[in-house]
């Protein structure tokens, strides 16, 4: 299997008046083509920062990030990005939001957009406007839009964080379906352990201050996964333990 994403000794410090905040510390991670990787960790550990570095939205960091054979120095169509909020253009229909600046009169674009609308299960809503869609439907349009240019890697920053539990579970299924059909490599930032176990081929658990990779947990459960199964719950516990575990305190010899 070829490597889709290689993160090599990546560190990031945000400069401030007091010198800086050291957010990411020497991260190494390899993601193979077609993998679904989730990144989970405490608030502020640098998950979104890492995703932005991969996206090329911030190139002020140490180390190297490569997507396929190309080192990342800025944004490129080989990486799609999905934010927590869908960021659709309210004045454009679903199909025009997906096509972006490409013309739907081009038969190739039309056929790709039609394919994506079917993939995200929004047939019949081509001419609808974002205000006529639910939050979950809007996020599915955002996913279709991000897939239009066949990115090598799709980066998702808590895409379901603002949705209710029912819609969230439904969209997790939809995302899994899209991943299986489209074979796009995905990197998902989430706070939700169940979401990470349900979707991922491996879960990266991060530590905070500074952000480091604490564990990489391969989830070798067959799909579709059943949240209530014993094996699922065992993976859940493993991740929870990694998240909960604090480095041991030095022994206290005081009386
Ligand atoms: N542009 C910035 N300038 C200065 N500090 C920043 C900037 N962006 C993020 N930070 C700091 O970097 C740290 C990591 O932030 P980041 O948003 O990556 O964390 P996160 O793990 O995604 O958090 P959450 O789970 O709460 O979304 C935080 O302490 C944050 O305050």
């Amino acid at each position: 299997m070829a490597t889709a994403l290689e993160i090599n000794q990546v560190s990031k410090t945000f400069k401030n008046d007091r010198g800086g905040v050291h957010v990411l510390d020497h991260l190494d991670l390899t993601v193979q083509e077609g993998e679904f990787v989730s990144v989970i960790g405490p608030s502020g550990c640098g998950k979104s920062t890492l995703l932005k570095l991969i996206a090329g939205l911030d190139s002020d960091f140490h180390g190297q990030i490569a997507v396929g054979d190309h080192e990342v120095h800025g944004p490129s169509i080989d990486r799609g990005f999905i934010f927590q909020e869908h960021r659709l253009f309210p004045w454009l229909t679903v199909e025009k939001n997906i096509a972006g600046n490409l013309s739907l009169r081009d038969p190739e674009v039309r056929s790709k957009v039609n394919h994506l609308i079917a993939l995200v299960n929004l047939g019949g809503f081509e001419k609808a406007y974002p205000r006529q869609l639910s939050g979950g439907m809007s996020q599915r349009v955002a996913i279709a839009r991000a897939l239009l240019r066949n990115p090598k890697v799709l980066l998702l920053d808590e895409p379901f964080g603002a949705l209710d539990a029912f819609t969230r579970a439904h969209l997790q299924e939809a995302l899994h379906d899209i991943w299986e059909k489209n074979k796009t490599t995905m990197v998902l930032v989430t706070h939700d352990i169940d979401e990470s176990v349900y979707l991922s081929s491996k879960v990266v658990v991060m530590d905070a201050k500074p952000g480091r990779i604490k564990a990489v947990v391969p989830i070798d459960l067959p799909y579709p996964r059943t949240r209530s199964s014993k094996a699922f719950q065992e993976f859940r516990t493993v991740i929870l333990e990694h998240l909960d575990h604090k480095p041991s305190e030095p022994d206290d010899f005081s009386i």
Side-chain angles (χ1 to χ4, degrees), residues 18-66:
R18 280 160 284 129
V21 191
H22 188 44
V23 175
L24 298 175
D25 188 53
H26 294 94
L27 263 59
D28 284 321
L29 181 68
T30 302
V31 178
Q32 305 296 344
E33 267 180 15
E35 263 198 296
F36 194 121
V37 174
S38 291
V39 181
I40 199 161
S43 187
C45 71
K47 303 180 292 296
S48 296
T49 301
L50 175 64
L51 221 54
K52 283 184 193 137
L53 300 188
I54 301 170
L57 300 174
D58 179 355
S59 34
D60 180 17
F61 64 94
H62 289 285
Q64 293 88 38
I65 300 177

Side-chain angles (χ1 to χ4, degrees), residues 23 40-48 158 189-191 206-209 211 243:
V23 175
I40 199 161
S43 187
C45 71
K47 303 180 292 296
S48 296
E158 287 196 64
V189 162
T190 181
H191 277 118
M206 284 183 67
D207 218 357
K209 293 182 180 164
L243 285 170

Side-chain angles (χ1 to χ4, degrees), residues 57-217:
L57 300 174
D58 179 355
S59 34
D60 180 17
F61 64 94
H62 289 285
Q64 293 88 38
I65 300 177
V67 171
D69 297 330
H70 299 284
E71 204 166 311
V72 169
H73 293 294
S76 150
I77 55 167
D78 66 4
R79 279 151 283 143
F81 203 101
I82 307 278
F83 299 89
Q84 184 166 350
E85 49 328 325
H86 54 71
R87 301 193 181 190
L88 299 180
F89 295 117
W91 58 88
L92 294 181
T93 60
V94 163
E95 59 183 16
K96 286 189 175 160
N97 261 292
I98 296 172
N101 58 4
L102 302 180
S103 170
L104 283 164
R105 279 194 284 271
D106 177 336
E108 233 177 90
V109 176
R110 162 56 66 195
S111 138
K112 188 84 209 277
V113 169
N114 287 353
H115 165 75
L116 288 168
I117 286 175
L119 183 72
V120 298
N121 211 3
L122 280 174
F125 290 90
E126 295 80 352
K127 310 278 184 224
Y129 286 88
R131 66 173 180 279
Q132 298 169 301
L133 307 176
S134 68
M137 290 162 89
S138 302
Q139 207 48 308
R140 279 188 274 150
V141 179
I143 293 170
R145 180 175 61 179
L147 292 173
L148 181 76
R149 291 166 199 261
N150 294 322
K152 257 188 165 319
V153 180
L154 186 61
L155 306 165
L156 304 108
D157 194 357
E158 287 196 64
F160 312 140
L163 303 171
D164 64 88
F166 182 77
T167 309
R168 196 181 173 102
H170 186 66
L171 271 192
Q172 287 163 0
E173 270 174 50
L175 184 63
H176 171 73
D177 210 39
I178 292 164
W179 174 66
E180 265 198 344
K181 287 188 183 138
N182 224 43
K183 315 254 182 281
T184 307
T185 310
M186 300 206 185
V187 180
L188 168 80
V189 162
T190 181
H191 277 118
D192 183 334
I193 300 179
D194 277 24
E195 182 166 291
S196 72
V197 177
Y198 184 75
L199 291 168
S200 316
S201 40
K202 72 186 181 204
V203 177
V204 175
V205 184
M206 284 183 67
D207 218 357
K209 293 182 180 164
R212 292 193 176 124
I213 293 179
K214 196 171 186 187
V216 177
V217 183

